[in-house]
């Protein structure tokens, strides 16, 4: 009997190991399609290419999948809409969260860290959130007390607690924050506290992952608000590699609160931890479109195309980097 190692429970893994490479091919194909639009200034075309390629490849995989986080609502988009059934059937019933091209602007400008992302979980394992919903987020690495940082505390309180736990001065803490006007006061507060701030223009899935891989990235904490779907996808990755994250959905209008009610949310101030955002058996895969700190971008060669992918499983807590050459 296979056990879910991530949860420490004696329960069978839903997502079998032989699906891993099949799902890697999904993000590989999306990344190759998007790569044709690198540096061409057309975000919509790049996203559309990645979406169509991802959708086509998903239908080759022996799964009974349902998109719970997609490109939009049914009727708003033609492919990978929320509620769409995907897969060739005959396999496990799983929920799917996609970001066919995270960092569309990064791809259009040929800047670092544009990636194609897919997460799957056993049915009911992923929090269902609308595409245009935002979320407050905080993330740190593993090995700290569960209450060390909290999303409702000030940034200064959180980085001070983290520095104390690490036994270093605040000047040696680096925080990752999306470079947005809404974060101006947060950035000022962090710098006033003496913390170094790494600003990213897009791509907060990678930002959260970087914050829990401190030894490799030098980033200690992720702070700020960003897309709620990206928050769920980041949590799926953390279920596989460890680390702490809290998310709090932002319902800043009557229309969003009404939509939240339709989604079954009754507490608009609820704080979600990693296992509430992405529960059970989870697999996460991402392929680089442009070069970045986590993945290499697509390499277009005369006779082959080279891809760089990271794939993680919560059941086994394994992380694999896959470099593949595809004959042209």
């Amino acid at each position: 009997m296979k056990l879910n190692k991530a949860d420490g429970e004696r329960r069978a893994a839903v997502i079998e190991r032989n699906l891993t490479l099949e799902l890697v091919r999904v993000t590989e194909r999306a990344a190759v399609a998007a790569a044709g639009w690198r540096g061409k200034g057309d975000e919509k075309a790049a996203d559309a290419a990645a979406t169509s390629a991802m959708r086509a490849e998903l239908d080759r995989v022996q799964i009974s999948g349902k998109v719970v986080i997609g490109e939009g609502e049914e009727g708003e988009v033609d492919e990978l809409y929320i509620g769409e059934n995907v897969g060739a059937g005959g396999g496990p019933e799983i929920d799917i969260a996609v970001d066919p091209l995270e960092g569309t602007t990064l791809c259009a400008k040929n800047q670092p860290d544009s990636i194609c992302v897919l997460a799957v979980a056993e049915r009911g394992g992923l929090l269902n959130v609308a595409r245009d919903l935002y979320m407050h987020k905080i993330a740190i690495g593993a090995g700290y007390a569960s209450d060390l940082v909290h999303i409702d505390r000030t940034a200064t309180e959180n980085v001070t607690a983290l520095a104390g736990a690490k036994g270093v001065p605040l000047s040696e803490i680096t925080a990752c924050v999306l470079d947005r006007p809404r974060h101006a006061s947060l950035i000022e507060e962090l710098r006033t506290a003496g913390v170094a701030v790494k600003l990213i223009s897009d791509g907060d899935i990678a930002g959260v992952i970087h914050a829990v891989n401190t030894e490799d990235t030098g980033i200690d904490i992720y702070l700020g608000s960003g897309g709620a779907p990206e928050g769920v996808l980041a949590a799926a990755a953390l279920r596989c590699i460890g680390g702490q994250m809290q998310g709090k959905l932002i319902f800043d209008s009557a229309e969003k609160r009404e939509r939240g009610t339709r989604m079954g949310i009754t507490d608009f101030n609820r704080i979600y931890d990693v296992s509430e955002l992405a529960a059970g058996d989870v697999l996460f895969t991402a392929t680089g479109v442009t070069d970045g700190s986590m993945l290499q971008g697509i390499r277009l060669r005369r006779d082959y195309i080279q891809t760089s992918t990271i794939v993680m499983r919560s059941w086994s807590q394994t992380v694999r980097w896959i470099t593949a050459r595809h004959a042209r």
Side-chain angles (χ1 to χ4, degrees), residues 2 15 32 38-39 48 52 75 106 121 128 132 161 164 186-187 218 222 231 236 265 276 283 288 300 304 310 314 318:
K2 294 182 178 180
I15 303 168
V32 171
R38 288 182 300 198
S52 292
L106 300 175
N128 185 356
D132 62 348
L186 169 62
I187 295 166
Y222 181 91
I265 295 173
E276 292 169 322
L283 184 144
L300 301 175
Y304 64 88
I310 186 171
S314 68
T318 53

Side-chain angles (χ1 to χ4, degrees), residues 25-221:
R25 291 189 182 98
V26 174
T27 54
E28 286 177 340
R29 182 167 176 180
V32 171
W37 293 95
R38 288 182 300 198
K40 296 180 179 177
D42 195 334
E43 299 177 16
K44 290 183 178 180
D47 190 54
T51 299
S52 292
M54 180 174 280
R55 177 66 176 79
E57 193 63 28
L58 273 170
D59 273 348
R60 299 172 181 267
V61 184
Q62 296 294 315
I63 55 172
S64 297
K66 181 179 180 181
V67 178
V68 297
I69 292 178
E71 287 291 273
E73 302 290 338
E74 184 175 4
E76 295 177 349
V77 296
D78 296 328
E79 296 179 300
L80 296 180
Y81 56 81
I82 297 171
E84 184 178 12
N85 294 316
V86 296
E93 294 187 353
I94 58 176
D95 285 350
I96 296 175
V98 300
D99 195 341
L101 184 59
E102 191 199 25
T104 54
T105 301
L106 300 175
C107 179
K109 295 181 178 181
N110 204 7
Q111 293 178 338
D113 282 324
S114 180
I115 58 177
C116 298
V117 183
L118 169 76
V120 301
E122 58 187 88
R123 188 57 51 87
L126 299 173
L127 183 67
N128 185 356
V129 292
R131 190 73 208 167
D132 62 348
L133 201 60
Y134 277 68
M135 175 188 288
H136 294 299
K137 306 168 191 175
I138 185 171
I140 59 173
Y144 300 105
S146 60
D147 60 350
L148 180 68
V149 299
H150 196 278
I151 203 164
D152 283 341
R153 296 179 193 148
T154 67
T156 302
E157 290 172 333
N158 283 317
V159 295
T160 300
L162 182 58
K166 293 172 73 72
V168 300
L170 279 167
S171 60
E172 293 185 17
I173 296 294
T174 298
C176 182
V177 181
L178 266 176
D179 190 3
R180 295 290 187 273
R182 65 178 179 270
H183 289 149
S185 61
L186 169 62
I187 295 166
E188 181 180 1
E189 180 181 353
L190 289 168
R191 287 174 172 164
T192 299
V195 170
V197 179
K198 178 177 176 59
L199 294 175
I200 55 174
S201 60
D202 290 280
D204 63 342
I205 297 175
V208 170
I209 295 172
H210 291 336
V212 305
N213 283 330
T214 305
E215 289 187 4
D216 295 328
T217 65
I219 297 171
D220 301 285
I221 186 169

